[in-house]
Amino acid sequence: MFKVIFAEILKLIECEFNNKLFDETTEALMQEMPEDTSIESVRLAVAPFIYQSLIEIHPSLKDKIIVNENETSLLNLTFFNKDGLVIFRLKDTMLEYLMELILTNMAGESKRINLHIKDEESKLEIINQQDDNGLITNYDHEIVYYDALGTKIDKDTELEKDYHFSLEFCLPLKDARKYRLNFQENAEFLNRNRYININRSYEENLKDNLFHSPFNIDDLEIHLLSELDKEVAEIYQSPYHKMPHQKTGKLDSLLSSLKNLLGASEEIIISDNLYQTLSYYLFDLTSGYLYNKGIIIKKLNGEYTLYYLHLDNDQIIGVPEILTKEDVDLIFASEPANYNVIGLQEFFGLTHNRH
């Protein structure tokens, strides 16, 4: 039974510190574990000293437990119960012990419990959140401080909650309290603001000069699904086999706007940034918002036109630029990975060889 093993791990950890709140939380965690939980049904990673102690007692666990390479990470545990997913983490940051427990159910409700343990006091954070198809529809954050004996400390935590809220929803600190205390009335604005700002940050880490295979614009949705199949095959290091896909119609409105913008074309290519944005939107991973920038290059009668797009839900802005032969060579060669993209050299009419 995994519960027995987990209890032994907790005893090893409790030698490092003694904290009433930690004991209460881990006892509650034990109750979340199904009675038939086995070591094979969980993902368990522990610090080296915990691993060594465990396999001395249970040699059969040697190949069933992951050893954390990072010494600060004492314990990572993930398992499913009847309600959903349970994640438990414990770190030793050298300044404090940080415990995190996340409970997520199938209805989109999640509870995150963070416990910061120091010698003189502990801080308990509880964040309750409701997600509905990627949108945060309810959000509540509580912070309570306790002394070394587990007695509650009277402390004003409103500013601290404001700071956390401003980071979570990408707001100026001065505006955080107004929106935090009136979350549901402002949920639509807060979700949109959060998504746009996170997407801007994500955009900075993507390469806009890496392109995907060429396709006909009418096949946009099918192309995205096929490209995803290729990524999955690559991840699992298995051969790619073209699979049949049916259109969902989710991109029809966007496709109509794109065709009006681009006009006639033989084939087009899209940048990786735009591919990621459209794929996430297609699979409802963008909180219902479509916002980003990216590049489309169309080919017509041997000429190439580049459109640097700005997508904002139903608005698409794109400025065309006719590409010269030198432009085409420069764009293609600016990202080495382009040489490995199927059909890209043919699209550009190139015969480059990798040197």
Side-chain angles (χ1 to χ4, degrees):
M1 295 293 290
F2 178 72
K3 281 190 175 184
V4 174
I5 297 170
F6 186 64
E8 292 174 351
I9 294 173
L10 292 179
K11 287 182 180 179
L12 292 170
I13 291 173
E14 286 169 354
C15 294
E16 303 292 313
F17 61 86
N18 181 29
N19 184 273
K20 179 181 178 182
L21 294 173
F22 178 80
D23 292 341
E24 291 176 350
T25 304
T26 51
E27 286 175 12
L29 174 61
M30 294 275 280
Q31 298 302 314
E32 294 289 337
M33 291 182 191
E35 288 299 325
D36 58 351
T37 300
S38 64
I39 186 67
E40 289 79 13
S41 63
V42 305
R43 185 187 186 280
L44 177 64
V46 297
F49 81 90
I50 297 176
Y51 176 80
Q52 291 298 329
S53 298
L54 276 180
I55 63 173
E56 287 178 7
I57 304 171
H58 306 283
S60 62
L61 298 180
K62 184 176 181 180
D63 298 323
K64 298 178 181 180
I65 300 177
I66 301 169
V67 182
N68 285 327
E69 294 182 2
N70 188 341
E71 291 286 343
T72 65
S73 185
L74 299 179
L75 172 62
N76 294 312
L77 171 64
T78 305
F79 65 91
F80 286 93
N81 63 8
K82 61 181 177 60
D83 296 317
L85 179 66
V86 179
I87 300 173
F88 180 80
R89 303 187 185 103
L90 181 66
K91 294 182 179 180
D92 178 4
T93 69
M94 306 306 292
L95 298 176
E96 65 179 6
Y97 289 96
L98 174 59
M99 183 215 76
E100 182 180 38
L101 174 61
I102 303 172
L103 307 171
T104 306
N105 65 25
M106 301 303 179
E109 299 170 335
S110 66
K111 174 179 283 190
R112 176 173 296 175
I113 302 172
N114 293 330
L115 179 60
H116 304 254
I117 303 171
K118 296 182 179 180
D119 291 338
E120 65 278 8
E121 68 176 21
S122 298
K123 180 176 75 170
L124 179 66
E125 292 184 89
I126 301 177
I127 301 173
N128 288 295
Q129 184 172 306
Q130 174 69 51
D131 290 283
D132 185 8
N133 292 322
L135 297 175
I136 300 174
T137 57
N138 197 19
Y139 183 92
D140 182 67
H141 184 194
E142 291 298 325
I143 300 177
V144 183
Y145 283 84
Y146 295 86
D147 64 20
L149 298 176
T151 303
K152 183 177 177 180
I153 301 173
D154 187 15
K155 184 181 291 192
D156 186 357
T157 60
E158 291 303 295
L159 185 58
E160 192 173 353
K161 287 187 282 187
D162 291 343
Y163 178 71
H164 185 281
F165 193 85
S166 71
L167 293 178
E168 181 68 26
F169 292 96
C170 308
L171 294 167
L173 182 59
K174 64 181 179 62
D175 298 329
R177 187 168 304 185
K178 174 182 67 175
Y179 288 109
R180 178 172 64 84
L181 297 179
N182 300 279
F183 182 87
Q184 291 187 326
E185 296 91 327
N186 297 285
E188 183 176 354
F189 162 75
L190 290 168
N191 277 280
R192 178 176 174 79
N193 186 67
R194 178 176 179 266
Y195 172 72
I196 288 175
N197 282 279
I198 289 174
N199 217 50
R200 282 173 177 158
S201 175
Y202 178 64
E203 175 190 350
E204 293 173 358
N205 297 319
L206 287 175
K207 296 178 178 178
D208 227 15
N209 55 348
L210 171 62
F211 290 89
H212 285 252
S213 296
F215 63 98
N216 187 291
I217 190 170
D218 289 318
D219 299 327
L220 174 62
E221 184 173 337
I222 301 301
H223 173 74
L224 294 175
L225 295 171
S226 296
E227 289 291 283
L228 181 61
D229 290 341
K230 292 178 185 177
E231 290 186 0
V232 172
E234 185 175 343
I235 290 171
Y236 287 98
Q237 298 181 337
S238 60
Y240 163 67
H241 299 289
K242 191 171 183 178
M243 300 173 59
H245 289 290
Q246 296 294 323
K247 287 178 60 176
T248 67
K250 185 172 178 61
L251 299 180
D252 284 356
S253 177
L254 169 70
L255 179 59
S256 178
S257 298
L258 280 176
K259 292 173 72 173
N260 287 335
L261 174 66
L262 301 181
S265 64
E266 296 166 8
E267 285 185 311
I268 66 170
I269 58 173
I270 61 177
S271 64
D272 189 54
N273 195 6
L274 188 57
Y275 163 76
Q276 299 289 348
T277 298
L278 296 178
S279 297
Y280 288 174
Y281 180 74
L282 179 61
F283 287 99
D284 294 320
L285 300 177
T286 63
S287 301
Y289 299 119
L290 181 59
Y291 180 95
N292 212 330
K293 300 180 179 71
I295 291 175
I296 286 182
I297 298 177
K298 80 170 185 180
K299 179 180 181 180
L300 181 64
N301 299 325
E303 292 189 346
Y304 301 90
T305 307
L306 180 148
Y307 294 81
Y308 190 78
L309 300 183
H310 180 102
L311 307 179
D312 190 349
N313 278 350
D314 56 348
Q315 294 186 356
I316 299 178
I317 301 171
V319 179
E321 177 184 348
I322 303 297
L323 299 178
T324 66
K325 179 66 168 63
E326 291 73 20
D327 293 332
V328 168
D329 286 350
L330 181 62
I331 290 171
F332 181 85
S334 63
E335 171 50 55
N338 283 331
Y339 285 90
N340 299 322
V341 177
I342 298 173
L344 200 55
Q345 294 192 56
E346 291 81 359
F347 175 84
F348 281 126
L350 303 174
T351 57
H352 287 96
N353 292 314
R354 198 178 226 174
H355 299 290

